[in-house]
């Protein structure tokens, strides 16, 4: 594969109203990509869109949708068709965690977490991938986490959802490798975003040093741009060491150690 020609791309970014989503928008726009920004908060999206347009001069389309709704990918595809916007690549960035003991989290909140972290990601990929493959180009970036490599006491559904995202992306990378579409799971550790506010506690970082979102996105896009990109990348030396060590330790010990870190 050659490097990605971002100037010919229209990239849809979910969770684009804050954090990594905003950073993806700016870094991709700086490379010449047009954008479709998706999140729940219309006002926040419009503000991000204006900033991106003013700074980079690209076309930005805003779609305010609740990604926890079943069938949301079809709604988004229909709206794009009405606006005559053709998406050529996808970044499934939307996701959130609940930092509480499992039994203390309301069922509806857990259902929404699974719907956003897994359901919307799968639906959107399933809806748009065939179109990308018809063109024989484009990319799909899915945001996983170092939590996908080991259990996450205190955020058990979040960790399990990110393990799904990692496995799902790597499976597609292998299954669809001859179709011309790039796949990459980016696995950050704790990152300076609104994640901890939404999760409900700063303790959700496990005491680890937080990376800046700009660095996470830069590493991800640099990895995607390789001639033969890998199916996944862990961002940051601290996070690479942690995941490497945890994969070599007995699972029982890993779960116990992380339980103490997250307590």
């Amino acid at each position: 594969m050659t490097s990605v020609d971002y100037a010919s791309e229209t990239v849809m970014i979910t969770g684009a109203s804050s954090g990594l989503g905003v950073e993806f928008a700016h870094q991709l726009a700086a490379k010449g990509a047009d954008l479709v920004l998706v999140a729940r908060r219309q006002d926040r999206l419009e503000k991000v869109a204006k900033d991106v347009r003013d700074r980079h001069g690209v076309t930005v389309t805003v779609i305010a949708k609740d990604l926890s709704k079943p069938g949301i990918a079809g709604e988004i595809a229909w709206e794009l068709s009405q606006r005559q916007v053709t998406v050529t690549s996808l970044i499934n960035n939307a996701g959130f965690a609940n930092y509480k003991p499992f039994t203390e989290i309301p069922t509806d909140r857990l259902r929404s977490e699974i719907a956003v972290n897994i359901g919307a990601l799968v639906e959107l990929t399933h809806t748009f991938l065939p179109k990308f493959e018809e063109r024989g180009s484009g990319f799909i970036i899915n945001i996983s986490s170092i939590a996908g490599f080991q259990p996450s006491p205190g955020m058990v559904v979040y960790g399990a959802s990110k393990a799904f995202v990692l496995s799902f992306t790597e499976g597609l990378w292998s299954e669809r490798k001859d179709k011309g579409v790039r796949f990459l799971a980016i696995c950050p550790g704790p990152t300076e975003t609104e994640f901890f506010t939404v999760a409900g506690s700063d303790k959700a970082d496990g005491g680890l040093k937080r990376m800046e979102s700009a660095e996470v996105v830069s590493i991800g896009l640099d990895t995607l741009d390789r001639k033969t990109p890998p199916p996944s990348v862990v961002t940051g030396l601290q996070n690479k060491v942690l995941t490497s060590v945890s994969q070599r330790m007995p699972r029982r010990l890993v779960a116990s150690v992380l339980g103490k870190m997250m307590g």
Side-chain angles (χ1 to χ4, degrees):
M1 292 183 176
T2 58
S3 297
V4 178
D5 179 12
Y6 291 101
S8 66
E9 296 281 350
T10 298
V11 185
M12 180 159 65
I13 307 169
T14 68
S17 62
S18 64
L20 291 177
V22 173
E23 192 59 45
F24 270 115
H26 280 290
Q27 291 197 26
L28 287 167
K31 295 175 182 289
D34 291 333
L35 305 172
V36 174
L37 306 183
V38 181
R40 287 183 299 110
R41 296 171 288 188
Q42 178 90 31
D43 56 338
R44 293 279 294 269
L45 284 175
E46 294 289 0
K47 184 176 179 181
V48 173
K50 183 181 185 305
D51 192 24
V52 170
R53 292 187 196 108
D54 290 347
R55 288 173 59 181
H56 307 290
V58 300
T59 299
V60 184
T61 302
V62 165
I63 296 181
K65 294 287 183 182
D66 180 355
L67 291 169
S68 68
K69 288 176 57 181
I72 193 62
E75 286 189 24
I76 292 171
W78 182 86
E79 188 158 335
L80 288 170
S81 70
Q82 295 303 298
R83 299 194 197 186
Q84 297 184 319
V85 175
T86 299
V87 168
T88 63
S89 289
L90 170 65
I91 299 178
N92 285 305
N93 167 70
F96 69 94
N98 293 292
Y99 185 79
K100 277 186 178 181
F102 175 69
T103 55
E104 295 179 15
I105 304 168
T107 301
D108 285 350
R109 181 75 174 172
L110 292 173
R111 187 179 291 113
S112 293
E113 185 177 2
I114 294 167
V116 173
N117 294 10
I118 296 176
L121 179 146
V122 172
E123 279 191 26
L124 287 166
T125 301
H126 194 256
T127 297
F128 289 94
L129 177 57
K131 299 175 175 63
F132 301 167
E133 291 185 343
E134 283 178 15
R135 288 188 291 271
S137 63
F139 60 83
I140 295 179
I141 293 175
N142 293 327
I143 304 304
S144 179
S145 167
I146 62 170
F149 288 88
Q150 60 261 327
S152 299
M155 298 190 298
V156 294
V157 171
Y158 177 78
S161 73
K162 292 306 180 180
F164 176 95
V165 171
L166 179 59
S167 177
F168 175 73
T169 309
E170 292 183 335
L172 284 175
W173 176 89
S174 177
E175 178 186 303
R176 319 301 295 177
K177 61 185 175 184
D178 297 325
K179 304 293 185 178
V181 179
R182 296 171 187 241
F183 295 91
L184 179 66
I186 299 177
C187 304
T191 306
E192 286 291 355
T193 67
E194 292 181 358
F195 173 88
F196 302 98
T197 301
V198 176
S201 176
D202 281 341
K203 292 182 180 180
D205 63 10
L208 298 173
K209 182 180 179 182
R210 301 181 189 181
M211 289 181 67
E212 295 296 327
S213 57
E215 185 178 7
V216 171
V217 170
S218 180
I219 291 170
L221 293 180
D222 286 349
T223 303
L224 182 75
D225 228 12
R226 294 181 193 173
K227 186 175 181 181
T228 53
S232 60
V233 60
V234 176
T235 60
L237 179 59
Q238 167 192 255
N239 301 322
K240 288 180 180 178
V241 171
L242 180 62
T243 55
S244 178
V245 170
S246 68
Q247 288 180 291
R248 288 165 172 76
M249 293 168 60
R251 300 287 288 180
R252 180 175 178 175
L253 180 58
V254 172
S256 296
V257 170
L258 287 170
K260 293 177 181 177
M261 289 176 63
M262 302 294 287

